[in-house]
Amino acid sequence: MIKKLVISSKNVDFLNKINELSGETITLCDQCGTCSGSCPMVSEMDITPSQMMRMVQLGQMEVMDTKAMWICASCFACTVRCPRGLDLAKVAEALRQVKLREAIDHIDIKKIPEDEVRRLPQIALVSSFRKFTG
Amino acid sequence: MRIGVYVCHCGGNISEIVDISKVVSFAEKQPDVVLVKDNPHMCSEVGQKLVIDDIKEHKLDKIVIAACSPQFQGPTFMSTLEKAGLSPYVLEMANIREQCAWPHFDFPEEATKKANNLTNAAIAKVRLDEPLGKKTMPIGRRVLVIGGGIAGIQAALDLGDAGFKVYLVEKEPTIGGKMSKLSRTFPTEDCAACILSPKMADVLANPNITLLTYSEVENIQGYLGNYEITVKKNPTYVDPDKCTCCDDCTEVCPVVVPNEFEEGLTSRKAIYLPSPIAVPHSYVLDEQACLGIFPLACGKCQEVCDPGAINFDVYPEEIKFTVDTIIVATGYDIFDATQKSVYGFGKYANVITALDMERMIVHASEGNPIRPMGKRIAFIQCVGSRDEQVENENCSRICCMYATKLSQLLKRSDPTRDVYVFYTDLRAYGKGFEEYYKRAQRTGVKFIRGRVAELIEDSQTRKLTLRVEDTLTRQIIESEFDLVVLSVGLRPNEGTDRIANLLRLAKSPDGFLQEAHPKFRPVDTLTDGVFLAGTVQGPKDIPDTVAQASAASARATRLMNRGEYDVEPVMAFVHEESCDGCGLCVEQCPTNAISLSSRDANSDKSLSPKVAKINEALCKGCGSCIAYCPKDALDLHCYSNDQLLAQIKAVLADKKNGEVRVLVFADDMTTYRLADNVGVAKMSYSLNSRIIRVPSGSRVTPKLMLQAFAEGADGIFIGECEEKSSPYPHSVSTIKSNISKVTHILKEEGIDEKRLRFVQFVTVMLGGFVNNINSLSDFTIKSGPIPAQKRKRLGENINERLFK
Amino acid sequence: MKIPYYPGCSLKTTAQNFEISALAVAKTLGIELIELPRWNCCGTVSSLTSDDLMHHLAPIRNLVRAEEMSENLGGDEYKLVTLCSMCFNVLKRSNLRVKENPDELKKINDFMYLEKDYSGRVEVVHFLELLREIGFQKVKEKVKNPLSGLKVAPYYGCLLLRPKEIGIDDPEDPTVQVEILAALGAEIVNNPFKTRCCGSYQTVQDKYAVAELAYDILSRAQKEGAEFVTTCCPLCMFNLADRQKEVVEKYPEFRSIPVLYITQLMAVAFDLDEKYYGFDLNYVDPRPILKEKGVIR
């Protein structure tokens, strides 16, 4: 089903909030796709990194329901290649923080199998908790 | 001195607010004024005739016209004076319309007082006007064109055909530049070499063009009408008149080096023909590659040369000549793709640049392919352009079109090829470009919107896997190609940097040379007599380059054709008896117009042996130098120190006790014009402001500012145009430096530095002007006039305080 | 020379072999890495939002310790060396943040009022940078047992190289490990995926995604002829080595390949005592191939 895109000034607050949280001017993105082409995790994502930027640019709050920002590994490949000099890692972080600051964690220690917890080096657990909790 | 004053009613525009009779009677009382008249329309035939008749009848030698803005009818009245036999520079106008009646339409009484005040200032200034004549400087008919690519060739041909003497200097052994390397040109697919060769031949045939190839400009001294050029001509060791291009020499030459013309894809010998269409059409011996000439290591080429064209007993030549104007056409370099390491250029065998591809297509179409092309070919756009990661933000303009061209040439010559162009935008803006792009699509070239993120090479097959997002379908492509062509952007080249330094030419933020004004002077530079043509000014295609080259020659012709050119008499001059030859001013002049030279033999022996002299061909009349002279020896015609002080005194003369007054020094180009525009819009601003016109804010020296405060000013405002539009180099930094010197002294005297303000304007900032003036005015009203004691001290020992 | 050294959590547990080999190698090169007293968790991964100062407290507190320690050591160099790439990145990032924003530094100092104020003097340095500073020639001089015939593909991961203002080398074309391995006499294999992320913290909740990445990275290295992969990050080590279990689950034809910390190879090349190699902790035992190549007995 092809969706209709509604562009209005209603959600400019959302764009402004993400701009502020990330410190980046998201309207600078010209949708070249370099970020998506550089992303190691893109095949696991539901939308591409450039699509994520697009949705934020257009104030589409539905981006908060997508998974891409949670699959991001913060590897900064996009950041070092963006021809507009944008730091996409910061934008993904800002989007995550919008959810996380509502006290909705993206990780539940109880759901991780015990043998995995025993196996994982603490650096993995610590970094995962830092990234996915508020 | 016999001054005549005329007060204009301006058909009611002035007289409905300002009481003309009061202005007339005020003017009558002023010393040196012998005649005062008023008239409904001074600028009309009647009004002008009145002035001309009065000048003759009453032997008037200076004229004041209190009317509209000098920027409005100034030229009219200047020619009126000329018709009457007077110098046009003994005229002063009091702006009692745009800068008095109109902004103060609600306050007729105050406006009348201000009109008197402004008329007084005009009279004070005119008293010191010098009867200067219109100035011209001689200029000859010689031009130097630096760079022998298509831009230089076109400019040289235009000027040579017009009868000017042209020196065309090219550093390569042949002219032709990058265009000679191209296969076909978009959008018509003309063969580049075929359309270029006739032009190159014309250059050689033109009797007015002296062609110096394998030569570099080593030094440029001088100025418009007198540029002294030193060129170093390198020896080719082959006499072009004798060489028959038989090729016997290359067969015996033992040295093999990469062939630069072929972008290193093939090799050449140390002795070689620079290009198939080389002009001069002769072999050349590359001294660097040769085994040795001094002493002679090999010499085999000379042995086999039948015509005896090879001569090792030649040396670099220094050629000196003088020209009147210069055209810089030094071209570009392609972006060094090794900087974009993610594409592996220089490491991966099958990654090439578009220029490599041009050569490959030329050879392939001649039936001599120089390397395999494969079947799956990808073009990557925007390499080195629009990319903050390599610090080149600009678009290189031609890459979209040349990729459209190369891709369809490849597809048409072998339809079994699969050719892709990976782009971010497809810029097909020019004549025939969109149609050409459609033709490429029709031919079957596949255009994919996505900027390629990385290339990975298969170390066995050497094929490239390209990773990119097709942004239009939001899918990731990981696809293998036989050949990847990088559409590299255009960058300024080394030769350009060198010439820019020699001529002190400004650079744009993108690194290319900067034009004097982006809209109205696209081929001029801020250096008089130096013009730009072609890609040296910025990336562009061949039609635009040729247009610009013709434009540059037209601009040069415009300067040279009359045999002389006009100069404004607003120029610096030296009070030689006050100058002590200290030379502080020399380094401060932004156009290097000041130099120290020895005084005349019959000068007063008690004076310094050296004295400052102004080169009027270089002086722009900004007045920046004046602030740096501790002896008040530097001055400016038409806006002298004495004149400005007289105006300052005059506008403060009627100030009453307790009143405050703000002086506004308005630069001619912008702030004065802006103030006029404010008046035209009938916007009001504070009555206690008085505007004084200056050529540039940099004319307002620290001494003048202190004197102004001392004479009664309570606030000073300096208005200037924006740096990027300024015809005066460094005016803004000079103003800031002047202001900081004054602020320092204000602080020492306990005077609030906020009484002195500086703003850069544009002529449409009407609200900005009003707000700024009112703000300063309100501030001075609130702070009150400067206490008399402090004021007095500001006027004391000014030079000692400024130059300690 | 004595330099303050920040270990971080893993170096004391799963990556003890990294520490043991590195400390020994450093000693041989005349560097004494002295562990920072009272260090706390570095706080990886770095918080990237513009308004968050809370998550920078942990790294800054370590820098306070480092500043104190440098003062006590004397001299005018205030360096802090780390081995773990993730610790390096987060410490250097927070350091740069407060150096560029003195008002934020003040806020952090005021908040941690029980600690001494951090003045911003410390320079965070990765061990590989230290080696580069000393010079690879010096490394070569200590090599008694050249790793001839060993085909090694260096792997860098991301946080060592990115973002550009933090990274220790060109993020697209790094060479620092190449130079070290060349000095050790090894044959270097170029892995085009040497700077591709291993998946990092996603290994906790999405181990098969990590397995995909590991498979790409390792199988390409193998395709280019590598027998070993080196790394300098405990999380990369886990994702590339331990997660080979998951790789094999998805790709049964995958052959295991030993992943080593580069300092382990250095220890072997310097012919140090076996106890400094730490091979027991490596998921894929490198000893069989090393013995086969005659590099160890």
Side-chain angles (χ1 to χ4, degrees):
Chain A
M1 287 292 288
I2 303 294
K3 275 170 52 189
K4 254 198 226 176
L5 175 61
V6 176
I7 38 174
S8 72
S9 27
K10 260 197 327 171
N11 290 328
V12 95
D13 289 333
F14 177 60
L15 169 61
N16 289 340
K17 176 150 94 161
I18 303 299
N19 274 345
E20 211 190 306
L21 256 185
S22 64
E24 299 293 308
T25 310
I26 294 171
T27 40
L28 277 175
C29 169
D30 67 0
Q31 293 288 295
C32 71
T34 302
C35 50
S36 309
S38 306
C39 180
M41 304 295 286
V42 70
S43 45
E44 309 288 323
M45 293 176 174
D46 51 352
I47 57 169
T48 64
S50 68
Q51 198 170 0
M52 182 182 82
M53 291 292 274
R54 189 70 176 151
M55 292 177 84
V56 176
Q57 274 182 334
L58 297 176
Q60 291 181 278
M61 299 202 51
E62 300 84 68
V63 73
M64 293 312 301
D65 300 327
T66 58
K67 300 203 182 59
M69 66 184 92
W70 303 109
I71 299 179
C72 165
S74 302
C75 79
F76 304 107
C78 48
T79 302
V80 302
R81 289 189 186 160
C82 175
R84 283 295 172 97
L86 289 167
D87 190 335
L88 265 96
K90 288 190 178 162
V91 177
E93 180 94 330
L95 288 169
R96 288 189 290 262
Q97 285 294 316
V98 167
K99 260 281 161 59
L100 295 173
R101 288 181 188 191
E102 290 171 19
I104 305 170
D105 290 344
H106 193 78
I107 185 168
D108 188 351
I109 178 99
K110 296 197 244 3
K111 296 225 173 88
I112 309 172
E114 216 185 291
D115 56 320
E116 269 295 301
V117 173
R118 248 191 276 271
R119 213 176 136 207
L120 285 162
Q122 68 260 70
I123 192 172
L125 291 168
V126 166
S127 51
S128 203
F129 292 150
R130 299 267 304 199
K131 193 55 76 173
F132 295 133
T133 62
Chain B
M1 192 178 316
R2 300 175 63 78
I3 302 175
V5 178
Y6 296 85
V7 189
C8 185
H9 296 230
C10 194
N13 274 306
I14 298 175
S15 53
E16 277 168 17
I17 293 133
V18 170
D19 186 342
I20 302 291
S21 61
K22 289 218 166 86
V23 181
V24 168
S25 52
F26 172 86
E28 280 169 346
K29 299 197 192 76
Q30 304 314 310
D32 303 309
V33 173
V34 304
L35 177 73
V36 185
K37 285 193 182 162
D38 64 296
N39 187 279
H41 299 279
M42 281 307 302
C43 56
S44 65
E45 283 286 322
V46 172
Q48 290 188 56
K49 189 168 186 309
L50 178 64
V51 175
I52 295 173
D53 291 343
D54 283 347
I55 288 173
K56 297 204 175 105
E57 198 189 312
H58 299 273
K59 302 206 185 342
L60 304 174
D61 53 24
K62 294 204 169 155
I63 304 293
V64 168
I65 301 184
C68 54
S69 169
Q71 289 199 352
F72 193 61
Q73 292 292 15
T76 310
F77 293 125
M78 281 170 84
S79 71
T80 307
L81 264 69
E82 277 183 296
K83 287 188 195 127
L86 280 188
S87 153
Y89 298 101
V90 295
L91 166 76
E92 289 301 327
M93 286 181 72
N95 188 338
I96 62 172
R97 186 180 76 165
E98 284 91 331
Q99 292 183 9
C100 187
W102 278 352
H104 306 310
F105 59 87
D106 262 345
F107 301 93
E109 217 185 290
E110 304 295 327
T112 306
K113 286 201 201 132
K114 188 168 174 178
N116 286 349
N117 209 220
L118 294 175
T119 307
N120 194 12
I123 295 171
K125 187 164 187 228
V126 92
R127 276 198 197 99
L128 298 167
D129 269 344
E130 305 158 275
L132 300 167
K134 269 221 160 84
K135 261 186 136 37
T136 61
M137 302 278 284
I139 191 167
R141 303 177 68 81
R142 308 155 297 185
V143 190
L144 165 65
V145 177
I146 311 178
I150 180 60
I153 289 171
Q154 182 65 41
L157 286 172
D158 281 347
L159 286 161
D161 285 344
F164 292 92
K165 166 109 200 82
V166 182
Y167 294 90
L168 179 56
V169 177
E170 165 57 49
K171 75 175 195 298
E172 296 298 325
T174 170
I175 52 175
K178 298 285 189 304
M179 186 178 169
S180 56
K181 297 194 192 199
L182 304 180
S183 56
R184 292 176 171 277
T185 58
F186 58 79
T188 49
E189 291 183 6
D190 295 86
C191 153
C194 312
I195 57 175
L196 184 57
S197 297
K199 278 212 180 294
M200 289 164 69
D202 285 346
V203 166
L204 211 51
N206 194 311
N208 286 330
I209 302 178
T210 301
L211 178 60
L212 299 168
T213 52
Y214 223 25
S215 306
E216 291 196 60
V217 174
E218 294 267 289
N219 200 9
I220 303 177
Q221 305 263 63
Y223 46 89
L224 173 63
N226 191 15
Y227 282 112
E228 287 161 1
I229 314 294
T230 308
V231 168
K232 177 168 167 238
K233 187 166 186 5
N234 293 307
T236 60
Y237 303 101
V238 181
D239 185 344
D241 291 328
K242 294 195 179 144
C243 175
T244 59
C245 300
C246 65
D247 210 34
D248 285 349
C249 51
T250 58
E251 283 180 28
V252 300
C253 176
V255 175
V256 177
V257 288
N259 186 336
E260 309 88 340
F261 183 75
E262 304 287 0
E263 295 292 294
L265 292 170
T266 64
S267 59
R268 61 165 172 84
K269 299 299 184 77
I271 189 162
Y272 68 111
L273 185 62
S275 98
I277 57 166
V279 165
H281 204 72
S282 160
Y283 276 57
V284 157
L285 178 54
D286 174 1
E287 190 174 339
Q288 304 288 344
C290 177
L291 291 176
I293 298 182
F294 305 109
L296 191 62
C298 164
K300 288 208 174 57
C301 52
Q302 189 179 51
E303 285 168 28
V304 302
C305 180
D306 254 346
I310 299 176
N311 177 12
F312 297 119
D313 199 14
V314 288
Y315 303 90
E317 238 186 290
E318 196 182 73
I319 305 177
K320 284 186 186 282
F321 52 88
T322 307
V323 294
D324 302 280
T325 55
I326 301 177
I327 296 183
V328 179
T330 48
Y332 67 93
D333 257 345
I334 53 171
F335 171 72
D336 174 11
T338 58
Q339 281 185 52
K340 200 80 189 140
S341 53
V342 85
Y343 293 148
F345 178 72
K347 281 191 309 191
Y348 301 158
N350 291 321
V351 175
I352 61 172
T353 67
L355 208 47
D356 293 338
M357 179 53 97
E358 297 277 354
R359 295 314 303 157
M360 283 160 61
I361 288 181
V362 170
H363 284 272
S365 61
E366 287 167 4
N368 291 327
I370 43 180
R371 58 155 287 163
M373 294 210 215
K375 293 290 184 188
R376 284 179 60 83
I377 306 174
F379 283 80
I380 299 182
Q381 299 306 106
C382 301
V383 177
S385 314
R386 304 178 66 188
D387 191 346
E388 303 225 3
Q389 301 300 338
V390 294
E391 284 162 12
N392 291 344
E393 267 184 50
N394 62 293
C395 166
S396 289
R397 203 171 160 109
I398 64 171
C399 331
C400 284
M401 288 314 296
Y402 76 50
T404 303
K405 167 192 80 179
L406 291 169
S407 58
Q408 63 183 293
L409 287 174
L410 287 168
K411 184 77 180 160
R412 251 181 271 130
S413 63
D414 182 354
T416 65
R417 286 188 182 128
D418 205 5
V419 185
Y420 293 80
V421 175
F422 292 95
Y423 67 97
T424 306
D425 291 289
L426 218 108
R427 297 182 162 171
Y429 55 88
K431 189 163 177 175
F433 288 8
E434 178 67 18
E435 297 88 323
Y436 191 56
Y437 165 46
K438 262 165 91 167
R439 190 173 170 210
Q441 290 176 302
R442 214 175 279 131
T443 308
V445 174
K446 295 179 187 148
F447 289 88
I448 298 193
R449 190 189 181 279
R451 198 155 177 174
V452 173
E454 60 192 23
L455 287 180
I456 308 268
E457 187 196 40
D458 182 323
S459 51
Q460 253 88 51
T461 64
R462 306 305 232 168
K463 293 192 193 200
L464 290 325
T465 300
L466 174 160
R467 198 159 188 259
V468 67
E469 179 190 13
D470 176 356
T471 58
L472 295 176
T473 59
R474 296 289 184 205
Q475 293 174 94
I476 304 291
I477 295 174
E478 267 183 39
S479 191
E480 203 175 56
F481 287 89
D482 301 323
L483 186 66
V484 171
V485 185
L486 303 179
S487 291
V488 283
L490 275 54
R491 297 302 309 147
N493 61 23
E494 216 188 282
T496 298
D497 280 345
R498 237 177 31 86
I499 301 296
N501 287 336
L502 272 179
L503 284 167
R504 271 165 283 105
L505 296 176
K507 291 207 182 140
S508 305
D510 59 10
F512 292 90
L513 295 193
Q514 183 158 63
E515 61 288 329
H517 188 282
K519 300 277 185 312
F520 289 131
R521 299 177 68 197
V523 297
D524 293 4
T525 63
L526 280 175
T527 306
D528 290 328
V530 177
F531 305 96
L532 302 175
T535 53
V536 72
Q537 181 262 351
K540 55 179 69 71
D541 62 1
I542 295 165
D544 286 346
T545 297
V546 171
Q548 213 182 45
S550 292
S553 18
R555 295 293 290 174
T557 302
R558 171 185 168 272
L559 263 185
M560 295 185 290
N561 205 34
R562 275 168 38 211
E564 61 179 20
Y565 61 96
D566 294 331
V567 280
E568 279 286 296
V570 180
M571 294 237 195
F573 68 96
V574 182
H575 296 285
E576 295 200 353
E577 63 291 353
S578 308
C579 173
D580 67 356
C582 73
L584 277 171
C585 53
V586 175
E587 7 179 300
Q588 297 298 345
C589 172
T591 54
N592 279 13
I594 311 180
S595 59
L596 280 183
S597 39
S598 309
R599 284 188 200 266
D600 280 7
N602 46 9
S603 296
D604 187 341
K605 293 290 180 254
S606 67
L607 296 171
S608 62
K610 289 230 187 272
V611 71
K613 286 230 192 286
I614 309 290
N615 181 340
E616 295 194 333
L618 289 171
C619 176
K620 289 215 150 95
C622 64
S624 301
C625 53
I626 301 173
Y628 295 98
C629 180
K631 298 285 181 222
D632 296 330
L634 282 169
D635 212 336
L636 193 69
H637 287 304
C638 303
Y639 293 94
S640 72
N641 292 326
D642 289 340
Q643 281 181 304
L644 286 171
L645 186 58
Q647 281 182 289
I648 290 168
K649 285 186 175 159
V651 294
L652 294 169
D654 69 342
K655 199 180 108 160
K656 295 192 189 42
N657 225 348
E659 232 187 272
V660 293
R661 209 154 274 186
V662 167
L663 292 194
V664 180
F665 290 99
D667 82 293
D668 188 38
M669 197 180 106
T670 301
T671 313
Y672 196 86
R673 216 174 280 268
L674 172 59
D676 283 346
N677 288 345
V678 167
V680 168
K682 305 280 186 350
M683 290 168 76
S684 318
Y685 49 92
S686 94
L687 275 159
N688 67 15
S689 59
R690 297 289 185 272
I691 297 173
I692 295 179
R693 188 183 180 200
V694 284
S696 159
S698 50
R699 174 65 189 91
V700 187
T701 59
K703 180 163 180 169
L704 266 171
M705 288 190 244
L706 290 168
Q707 284 174 316
F709 279 125
E711 291 294 332
D714 302 289
I716 292 181
F717 196 100
I718 301 186
E720 180 75 353
C721 59
E722 290 181 331
E723 182 120 59
K724 56 180 181 257
S725 333
S726 177
Y728 305 109
H730 307 164
S731 59
V732 171
S733 50
T734 305
I735 296 170
K736 287 185 176 163
S737 151
N738 289 348
I739 287 182
S740 74
K741 289 176 188 161
V742 176
T743 309
H744 184 70
I745 294 180
L746 289 178
K747 280 216 212 76
E748 281 180 359
E749 293 300 331
I751 297 173
D752 197 330
E753 60 186 60
K754 292 200 280 295
R755 290 180 184 270
L756 173 57
R757 298 191 190 181
F758 165 53
V759 172
Q760 289 169 270
F761 288 117
V762 290
T763 51
V764 293
M765 263 167 85
L766 275 62
F769 179 83
V770 168
N771 291 340
N772 271 291
I773 302 301
N774 283 347
S775 163
L776 179 55
S777 171
D778 290 342
F779 179 79
T780 52
I781 291 173
K782 217 170 70 167
S783 317
I786 295 178
Q789 266 288 68
K790 295 193 178 185
R791 208 189 272 292
K792 189 164 169 297
R793 275 212 298 278
L794 284 179
E796 289 167 355
N797 302 324
I798 291 180
N799 275 355
E800 281 87 341
R801 282 181 99 164
L802 285 173
F803 292 99
K804 65 167 177 291
Chain C
M1 69 170 117
K2 291 182 201 265
I3 304 192
Y5 154 65
Y6 175 86
C9 55
S10 309
L11 276 280
K12 297 296 184 189
T13 56
T14 54
Q16 278 176 70
N17 47 357
F18 196 2
E19 187 175 68
I20 236 181
S21 54
L23 256 47
V25 159
K27 195 138 178 255
T28 316
L29 290 165
I31 310 167
E32 200 184 326
L33 295 178
I34 307 181
E35 189 169 317
L36 203 59
R38 295 171 57 214
W39 57 268
N40 53 254
C41 168
C42 68
T44 206
V45 279
S46 209
S47 159
L48 302 173
T49 50
S50 59
D51 60 352
D52 181 14
L53 289 181
M54 206 57 149
H55 288 89
H56 291 281
L57 291 179
I60 298 299
R61 190 164 175 272
N62 284 312
L63 295 175
V64 170
R65 295 278 92 78
E67 209 170 49
E68 273 174 1
M69 188 174 171
S70 292
E71 274 163 8
N72 295 339
L73 283 175
D76 50 3
E77 279 209 21
Y78 282 64
K79 277 205 169 75
L80 180 63
V81 177
T82 75
L83 284 167
C84 166
S85 301
M86 294 184 84
C87 300
F88 165 72
N89 193 293
V90 75
L91 288 170
K92 187 165 175 181
R93 257 196 113 117
S94 294
N95 200 17
L96 212 61
R97 173 96 179 242
V98 297
K99 280 194 202 190
E100 289 170 358
N101 297 287
D103 46 323
E104 289 188 345
L105 176 57
K106 184 169 187 315
K107 270 203 188 123
I108 291 177
N109 279 333
D110 287 345
F111 187 83
M112 296 201 291
Y113 61 91
L114 291 171
E115 297 284 351
K116 232 171 139 176
D117 277 355
Y118 177 53
S119 70
R121 273 176 299 177
V122 176
E123 192 196 333
V124 177
V125 159
H126 190 274
F127 186 67
L128 293 182
E129 285 185 282
L130 209 60
L131 293 178
R132 193 167 55 198
E133 224 182 277
I134 296 174
F136 303 114
Q137 187 54 34
K138 289 245 163 49
V139 171
K140 194 162 179 198
E141 283 163 17
K142 299 291 180 193
V143 172
K144 298 209 189 94
N145 178 20
L147 308 176
S148 343
L150 239 54
K151 297 195 174 67
V152 186
Y155 173 76
Y156 297 81
C158 20
L159 297 184
L160 189 60
L161 305 172
R162 302 190 281 268
K164 280 182 179 168
E165 61 270 20
I166 307 290
I168 69 165
D169 207 337
D170 185 315
E172 305 291 353
D173 209 2
T175 54
V176 62
Q177 280 196 56
V178 168
E179 305 204 72
I180 296 171
L181 291 168
L184 301 180
E187 195 184 309
I188 293 125
V189 172
N190 180 45
N191 181 358
F193 296 152
K194 58 185 176 287
T195 60
R196 189 169 282 190
C197 180
C198 66
S200 190
Y201 47 78
Q202 297 292 356
T203 196
V204 175
Q205 297 188 96
D206 203 349
K207 61 184 184 181
Y208 289 107
V210 166
E212 277 295 335
L213 289 170
Y215 174 70
D216 284 341
I217 294 165
L218 296 170
S219 62
R220 190 54 187 254
Q222 285 170 319
K223 180 162 178 256
E224 303 295 332
E227 295 159 332
F228 294 93
V229 171
T230 53
T231 177
C232 34
C233 170
L235 191 51
C236 292
M237 172 61 87
F238 181 81
N239 283 347
L240 290 181
D242 297 59
R243 284 285 178 226
Q244 287 187 34
K245 173 169 176 283
E246 277 77 18
V247 174
V248 167
E249 273 176 50
K250 289 196 85 173
Y251 300 95
E253 74 282 6
F254 177 74
R255 287 171 2 253
S256 67
I257 175 170
V259 184
L260 298 175
Y261 292 110
I262 193 169
T263 51
Q264 292 180 292
L265 274 182
M266 289 178 80
V268 170
F270 287 4
D271 206 15
L272 300 180
D273 189 290
E274 226 186 301
K275 68 179 186 226
Y276 298 115
Y277 297 170
F279 289 147
D280 283 333
L281 281 175
N282 291 84
Y283 180 78
V284 180
D285 194 344
R287 281 173 285 214
I289 309 183
L290 289 173
K291 284 197 179 111
E292 193 188 308
K293 295 273 170 163
V295 175
I296 60 170
R297 273 158 260 102

